[in-house]
Amino acid sequence: MKPNDVILQSVTKVAVVIIFTFSIYLFMNGHHNPGGGFIGGLSTAAAVVLLYLAFDIEKVRENIRIDFKKLAALGVLIAVCTGLGGVLFGEEFLTQAFGYKELPIFGKTELTSALIFDTGVALAVIGTAVNIILSISEDR
Amino acid sequence: MSALHLAILMPFIFAFFVPIFYKSLRKIHTGWIVLFIPVILFIYFIQFIPTLLQGKEIVRSLPWIPSLNVDFTARLDGLGILFALLITGIGSLVVLYSIYYLNKDKEQLNTFYMYLLLFMGAMLGVVLSDNLIVLYTFWELTSFSSFLLIGYWYEREKSRYGALKSMLITVFGGLCLLGGILILYVIAGTFSIQELMTQVNVIVNHDLFVFAMVLLLLGAFTKSAQFPFYIWLPDAMEAPTPVSAYLHSATMVKAGIYLVARMTPIFAFDSSGLWVWLIGGIGIFTLFWGSFNAVKQTDLKAILAFSTVSQLGLILSLFGVGAAAIHYDIDENIYTVAIIAAIFHLINHATFKGSLFMVAGIVDHETGTRDIRKLGGLMNFLPITFTVALIGTLSMAGIPPFNGFLSKEMFFTGMIRVLQLDIFNMETLGVLFPVLAWVGSVFTFIYSMIFVWKTFGGSFQPEKMEKKPHEPPIGMLIPPVVLGSLVVIFGLFPNALLGGLIESVAYSVLPKFKYEVHISHWHGFGPELYMTIGVIVIGFALYQSQGKWKKIYDLFPKKLTLNKLYDSFIPSLETGSNLVIRSHMTGYLRSYLAYIFIFFIGFLGFTMWSMNAFVLNTSKVGEISIYEIVLSLLIVIGCITIVFAKSRLTSIIALGAVGYTVSLLFVVFRAPDLALTQLVIETISVALFLLAFYHLPKKFRHPETRRFKLNNALIAIGVGLVVTLLAISSYSTKLFDSISQYYVDNTYDPAGGENMVNVILVDFRGFDTLFEISVLAIAGLGIYGLIKLRLARRSEK
């Protein structure tokens, strides 16, 4: 059914790794450099979409067993929980905290609750984007 | 809660139990149980008379909504007790009559007596409330219960028509009344009639006084069926006869008169004379018009309905003329006689009109028809009914020795004295009062004769009647006989029985005056007596020669009657509003968008123009670089391509180009986060557009031409212009410094980040972000749902 796209698939295998890395970079660096949850999430979604383009939908689904609708919901849930975390410590809703810790490999690193919030954002964006594209492409 | 409040609310409380009695005691006619209520109330109210005759009044207050100055204050004075006695007294008789009139096996008695009790309580509330808002509440309850009672036989089309008509007209008046009450509150700051009376000078001199008065009178005139609002009353005759006798002759239609009488101590001080002219003028014209129209009716109840209209006009005109008394000396005032006449006639009318309605009901009940063309010669079959009818009609026509004669003489006295009024331009048009009064009385005489002789006199026509007539059961005869004997008794001994009561009522209508009621049958040869003789002679002559002059009714074009006006007004209102809605609710999205945009242009443009808000200030404008010019040009070219492209595909590509250029502009304006996001989002949205394009039906993909519409172009240019001007003006008038310095200072230190955009997004204003991702998730789920859940298509399969 599909023409032989060995080249596309081979390039995809390499490119996906690079795109994933880049998007994680964008995501982790968001607090200090351009990037963040939104754009990081979008570029991750782009990598997933590339996988869908190069391989069959069924094949990708076998390997990545994620329900993207649930992923989006999970993202929103995480973001809300971060906000509630501040409430637990007697602060107002969505109060963020950060601190510096010595970690085994990374050395002195900034740990911030904003990152968890951003994770929520990223997951919601990935879930939504892939969900939209998948539902439209599956439509007959 | 005092006993007085309990008395007002008792009919309401009892109304709840009526259905229970109806269901559990099927063998007894429900009316027997209901009968207790008005009888007990009548006895309760009658015991207050000695107290009131001494000039005292009874006031009981009950807080209802104290914060809004609305208290349920019950006040019992002369006027209140008169109406309370009418309501409960005639109420008792009507309930007794209805027990024999309505068959307990054929009719829904539970609803009938519930509505009747509701009405009775509401009417008591109207006449005994001192607070205007409470009065209004009960006022609307009377309209409402009257609507239910007129439509009692709801399976008949005419009943529904009559009920709707009376509802529309009386509720219109009721709402006007509410407006008047609210204006009075604005002027005087109180809803209490007693307190309003202490502020007469403030009220009369206020600018809004005329509005309050006219609105209040609209309420009174619609309720009391005055010209031109009388048209609902003849159609309300579709109600069962006890209802007509009770509501539409003795009580509800007098609510307007009550209101006028109650407000006289406030409004009569008006120095422009509008009060006197409006009430007196409309009343006297209604008197003439009602009696004139009553003559041509062929239905017994229709004659009585027009007669009621005419008599209500008589009473109102007397109240109007009586109000002039305030502008003359307190002592030896010749105009207070009008007030006394009004009160006396009010009582008389309730007695004789109630009995006549009951007579009409008996005739209907016994022969099966109310048409005077089919009736005749019933004198020998219904002797008692005939006697009552004769007494009632003679009293109505104003023949001695019945009470109607006395009040009509006083009416003439009052109207003749109008000629001596030297205020309010009465010397010019005032002569109409006695003339119309006399002509109206002649017609009253004629229709009274028609009522009694066409029904009971003449030849008996058994073939036209459904039943063989005979006297009704005794219970149906008692109420009209009681009322008929009251007509005679009041006529024979008016001073002894009513003198004190009338004085006390007159005192509550126009305080400060001295009243000595002295009603006599013989007061020498005066103009009144000649007028009465004239009424009888001419009336009798005209009655005899009916056939010759009745053609004048055909002269009046049928298209111009008020009923035709009402009948065409309601449908034209419907078609009119239909037209209005259809003219702009086109169902096309483009029309609604055009409205929105035109409103936007007009409203915003007008506001800016009227506020003088167009400003151009170039001092804050930054330097323009070559990149910005080039990119802006690119965007403009892209936009022009979008609008003028022939193929949709070209438009989509151009749109993408615009989006990417915007992303480049973000780069130039140093917004890397925005640029990144814009780039990705533009890609996705262009892809989605292409998808939509791909699935278009073939013929829509490449439309041959795009039609140019001048309207759309003008609206688009207008919106663009207004937005541009708005942007330039608002940039030119920046009033405060930006708060961005705060973010610059605090991004790293308390918030722990270096990317300010991101820190604002997740730290300073994370709340927005939280909901934006919720929006995203909802959009994703929405698309999923739209595509996967196609119930319509699934059911087709």
Side-chain angles (χ1 to χ4, degrees):
Chain A
M1 186 173 119
K2 272 200 167 186
N4 192 359
D5 22 54
V6 179
I7 298 173
L8 178 62
Q9 288 179 355
S10 312
V11 172
T12 302
K13 279 172 194 168
V14 181
V16 160
V17 175
I18 298 169
I19 299 175
F20 269 138
T21 319
F22 178 64
S23 48
I24 288 169
Y25 166 79
L26 276 176
F27 170 68
M28 297 298 280
N29 250 11
H31 225 210
H32 298 288
N33 291 307
F38 199 82
I39 190 69
L42 274 180
S43 42
T44 314
V48 177
V49 171
L50 186 59
L51 282 176
Y52 280 116
L53 283 176
F55 302 94
D56 212 348
I57 287 180
E58 297 306 317
K59 210 168 195 177
V60 181
R61 193 166 277 169
E62 272 171 31
N63 289 291
I64 309 174
R65 292 175 178 277
I66 298 173
D67 186 343
F68 286 94
K69 297 186 291 295
K70 288 179 184 164
L71 195 71
L74 181 72
V76 177
L77 191 68
I78 289 173
V80 173
C81 287
T82 342
L84 287 177
V87 177
L88 277 184
F89 291 102
E91 300 286 334
E92 283 177 24
F93 186 66
L94 271 177
T95 308
Q96 310 285 14
F98 69 95
Y100 296 93
K101 274 271 169 70
E102 287 293 334
L103 287 183
I105 303 167
F106 301 100
K108 190 187 172 196
T109 315
E110 183 197 24
L111 286 181
T112 164
S113 60
L115 192 67
I116 309 174
F117 185 77
D118 245 1
T119 314
V121 176
L123 291 183
V125 171
I126 297 168
T128 306
V130 178
N131 184 22
I132 291 174
I133 290 165
L134 272 189
S135 21
I136 292 175
S137 65
E138 280 174 359
D139 185 33
R140 296 280 163 255
Chain B
M1 182 178 282
S2 64
L4 195 52
H5 288 112
L6 208 62
I8 296 173
L9 295 178
M10 196 154 89
F12 293 111
I13 300 165
F14 198 75
F16 280 103
F17 297 104
V18 167
I20 300 172
F21 287 129
Y22 177 70
K23 297 274 176 196
S24 56
L25 301 168
R26 288 309 291 255
K27 285 184 181 168
I28 307 170
H29 195 288
T30 319
W32 289 115
I33 304 160
V34 174
L35 187 59
F36 285 109
I37 298 294
V39 171
I40 291 171
L41 287 175
F42 185 73
I43 296 166
Y44 172 77
F45 282 119
I46 232 170
Q47 51 143 346
F48 285 109
I49 288 191
T51 325
L52 290 166
L53 290 188
Q54 290 163 13
K56 293 175 188 162
E57 55 185 44
I58 294 136
V59 182
R60 298 274 183 278
S61 196
L62 179 74
W64 184 25
I65 316 173
S67 55
L68 296 176
N69 284 340
V70 178
D71 293 324
F72 185 7
T73 306
R75 176 159 166 253
L76 200 60
D77 59 354
L79 191 61
I81 193 89
L82 170 66
F83 274 91
L85 287 176
L86 279 181
I87 292 161
T88 50
I90 297 185
S92 315
L93 295 175
V94 160
V95 171
L96 179 64
Y97 179 81
S98 70
I99 293 171
Y100 291 91
Y101 187 84
L102 295 171
N103 191 317
K104 84 170 157 38
D105 301 320
K106 288 180 192 161
E107 310 281 0
Q108 289 277 317
L109 292 175
N110 50 348
T111 51
F112 180 80
Y113 286 110
M114 233 177 115
Y115 300 160
L116 201 71
L117 281 175
L118 264 183
F119 171 78
M120 196 182 287
M123 204 58 214
L124 279 177
V126 166
V127 298
L128 296 181
S129 302
D130 182 56
N131 192 291
L132 283 171
I133 291 290
V134 178
L135 187 148
Y136 171 74
T137 312
F138 284 119
W139 183 278
E140 290 296 23
L141 259 177
T142 62
S143 300
F144 175 66
S145 47
S146 157
F147 168 75
L148 291 171
L149 283 168
I150 296 170
Y152 177 64
W153 287 314
Y154 52 82
E155 67 278 5
R156 298 184 190 171
E157 214 231 314
K158 278 187 137 186
S159 292
R160 298 198 300 269
Y161 170 80
L164 186 66
K165 194 171 180 180
S166 75
M167 182 78 163
L168 286 175
I169 293 177
T170 52
V171 167
F172 160 75
L175 288 174
C176 289
L177 171 65
L178 180 65
I181 290 171
L182 293 178
I183 293 179
L184 276 182
Y185 184 75
V186 167
I187 296 174
T190 175
F191 285 125
S192 161
I193 298 172
Q194 279 171 294
E195 287 170 30
L196 284 172
M197 276 159 66
T198 62
Q199 300 192 42
V200 165
N201 287 329
V202 180
I203 297 171
V204 172
N205 294 320
H206 199 276
D207 292 340
L208 291 172
F209 170 71
V210 174
F211 293 101
M213 184 165 92
V214 169
L215 286 173
L216 213 110
L217 281 183
L218 273 176
F221 286 171
T222 49
K223 199 74 157 182
S224 281
Q226 294 300 294
F227 189 87
F229 306 112
Y230 68 85
I231 51 171
W232 66 268
L233 191 61
D235 283 310
M237 291 301 130
E238 291 303 320
T241 304
V243 173
S244 311
Y246 189 37
L247 272 68
H248 307 126
S249 73
T251 53
M252 189 179 87
V253 289
K254 295 209 168 90
I257 291 178
Y258 166 81
L259 191 73
V260 167
R262 182 55 94 201
M263 288 311 200
T264 299
I266 298 166
F267 287 98
F269 286 92
D270 151 48
S271 54
S272 69
L274 197 59
W275 177 258
V276 173
W277 266 109
L278 270 179
I279 300 177
I282 292 191
I284 201 83
F285 185 72
T286 311
L287 160 73
F288 161 72
W289 190 248
S291 58
F292 178 69
N293 275 305
V295 174
K296 71 171 175 183
Q297 305 301 322
T298 53
D299 180 276
L300 282 184
K301 280 174 87 176
I303 296 178
L304 290 177
F306 278 103
S307 153
T308 304
V309 169
S310 142
Q311 304 278 319
L312 293 171
L314 187 158
I315 299 172
L316 266 180
S317 67
L318 281 171
F319 271 118
V321 171
I326 276 187
H327 302 278
Y328 287 92
D329 279 343
I330 300 277
D331 298 322
E332 292 177 33
N333 200 307
I334 55 168
Y335 297 104
T336 51
V337 71
I339 296 284
I340 291 168
I343 298 159
F344 189 38
H345 196 74
L346 190 101
I347 303 169
N348 296 342
H349 177 247
T351 54
F352 66 70
K353 193 52 66 63
S355 72
L356 286 179
F357 266 110
M358 291 174 184
V359 164
I362 290 172
V363 170
D364 187 16
H365 212 257
E366 296 307 321
T367 63
T369 180
R370 295 193 314 245
D371 195 328
I372 52 169
R373 289 168 298 192
K374 295 180 183 171
L375 293 166
L378 293 176
M379 206 188 290
N380 298 325
F381 297 93
L382 304 165
I384 303 174
T385 317
F386 166 64
T387 315
V388 173
L390 193 66
I391 293 171
T393 43
L394 290 182
S395 176
M396 184 157 74
I399 311 283
F402 302 108
N403 58 5
F405 166 69
L406 303 172
S407 47
K408 185 142 290 181
E409 292 281 278
M410 291 164 76
F411 167 58
F412 284 148
T413 314
M415 290 301 136
I416 292 167
R417 286 181 183 172
V418 168
L419 295 174
Q420 300 174 36
L421 272 176
D422 49 7
I423 47 173
F424 312 146
N425 298 322
M426 277 291 174
E427 58 273 14
T428 50
L429 283 170
V431 71
L432 275 178
F433 279 79
V435 169
L436 278 176
W438 186 79
V439 176
S441 298
V442 171
F443 281 109
T444 307
F445 184 88
I446 299 171
Y447 72 69
S448 299
M449 291 303 107
I450 291 175
F451 182 88
V452 70
W453 294 118
K454 292 267 163 131
T455 311
F456 296 97
S459 56
F460 181 54
Q461 301 158 297
E463 71 283 355
K464 287 186 182 170
M465 294 171 195
E466 292 168 15
K467 304 173 191 168
K468 186 172 165 39
H470 56 79
E471 277 296 351
I474 181 91
M476 216 158 157
L477 279 175
I478 291 173
V481 167
V482 169
L483 286 173
S485 22
L486 278 180
V487 170
V488 178
I489 295 168
F490 287 163
L492 294 177
F493 315 104
N495 297 315
L497 291 169
L498 295 171
L501 183 64
I502 292 177
E503 276 174 25
S504 129
V505 179
Y507 188 77
S508 44
V509 177
L510 279 185
K512 295 175 193 160
F513 288 93
K514 281 180 200 157
Y515 298 98
E516 276 180 34
V517 175
H518 187 70
I519 302 163
S520 59
H521 281 263
W522 181 254
H523 39 71
F525 290 99
E528 298 91 343
L529 189 68
Y530 298 129
M531 280 169 88
T532 304
I533 294 172
V535 165
I536 296 172
V537 171
I538 305 228
F540 193 72
L542 282 175
Y543 171 69
Q544 289 296 340
S545 58
Q546 271 183 68
K548 288 171 187 163
W549 57 269
K550 265 209 166 173
K551 282 170 195 155
I552 59 161
Y553 287 108
D554 301 332
L555 291 178
F556 199 73
K558 286 215 165 116
K559 275 182 189 170
L560 286 178
T561 57
L562 286 165
N563 268 320
K564 279 274 179 297
L565 202 70
Y566 168 86
D567 286 339
S568 60
F569 174 69
I570 297 293
S572 59
L573 199 69
E574 281 168 8
T575 48
S577 52
N578 232 338
L579 272 179
V580 170
I581 287 175
R582 260 194 232 147
S583 67
H584 67 279
M585 288 295 175
T586 55
Y588 290 114
L589 211 53
R590 58 170 176 266
S591 318
Y592 304 144
L593 282 177
Y595 305 149
I596 293 170
F597 285 131
I598 289 170
F599 177 78
F600 174 85
I601 298 166
F603 187 71
L604 216 63
F606 175 76
T607 311
M608 287 183 70
W609 176 74
S610 62
M611 297 276 184
N612 229 347
F614 295 113
V615 191
L616 180 60
N617 179 4
T618 49
S619 64
K620 285 184 230 158
V621 175
E623 266 188 43
I624 302 169
S625 71
I626 181 77
Y627 306 110
E628 289 157 23
I629 295 173
V630 171
L631 289 178
S632 304
L633 274 177
L634 270 178
I635 291 179
V636 169
I637 292 167
C639 287
I640 291 172
T641 320
I642 294 172
V643 175
F644 292 100
K646 278 200 177 141
S647 152
R648 294 181 200 275
L649 200 59
T650 323
S651 288
I652 293 170
I653 303 295
L655 187 67
V658 170
Y660 289 129
T661 324
V662 168
S663 153
L664 273 180
L665 264 183
F666 284 144
V667 172
V668 172
F669 288 126
R670 281 161 295 175
D673 285 286
L674 287 183
L676 273 173
T677 313
Q678 171 72 22
L679 212 63
V680 181
I681 288 294
E682 194 58 44
T683 314
I684 292 178
S685 52
V686 168
L688 288 177
F689 268 122
L690 288 174
L691 198 69
F693 174 79
Y694 180 75
H695 287 290
L696 271 181
K698 282 257 158 43
K699 63 173 176 177
F700 291 115
R701 281 193 205 175
H702 302 283
E704 283 163 11
T705 48
R706 179 176 302 192
R707 269 181 298 160
F708 177 79
K709 283 192 183 131
L710 187 66
N711 293 345
N712 293 354
L714 285 178
I715 291 171
I717 290 167
V719 170
L721 208 66
V722 166
V723 172
T724 311
L725 286 172
L726 185 71
I728 292 173
S729 304
S730 65
Y731 187 79
S732 303
T733 50
K734 219 170 240 177
L735 297 175
F736 306 104
D737 287 337
S738 163
I739 58 164
S740 55
Q741 192 56 39
Y742 172 82
Y743 293 121
V744 174
D745 294 341
N746 291 292
T747 300
Y748 187 72
D749 198 11
E754 285 161 12
N755 180 350
M756 196 167 87
V757 173
N758 225 329
V759 166
I760 290 174
L761 278 181
V762 300
D763 289 283
F764 288 120
R765 305 183 58 174
F767 213 64
D768 296 351
T769 315
L770 181 62
F771 286 103
E772 274 152 23
I773 60 173
S774 310
V775 167
L776 267 182
I778 291 165
L781 291 176
I783 290 172
Y784 181 80
L786 277 178
I787 289 170
K788 299 282 175 184
L789 305 173
R790 288 183 186 162
L791 292 175
R793 193 178 289 180
R794 201 178 294 164
S795 63
E796 272 170 29
K797 287 172 188 170

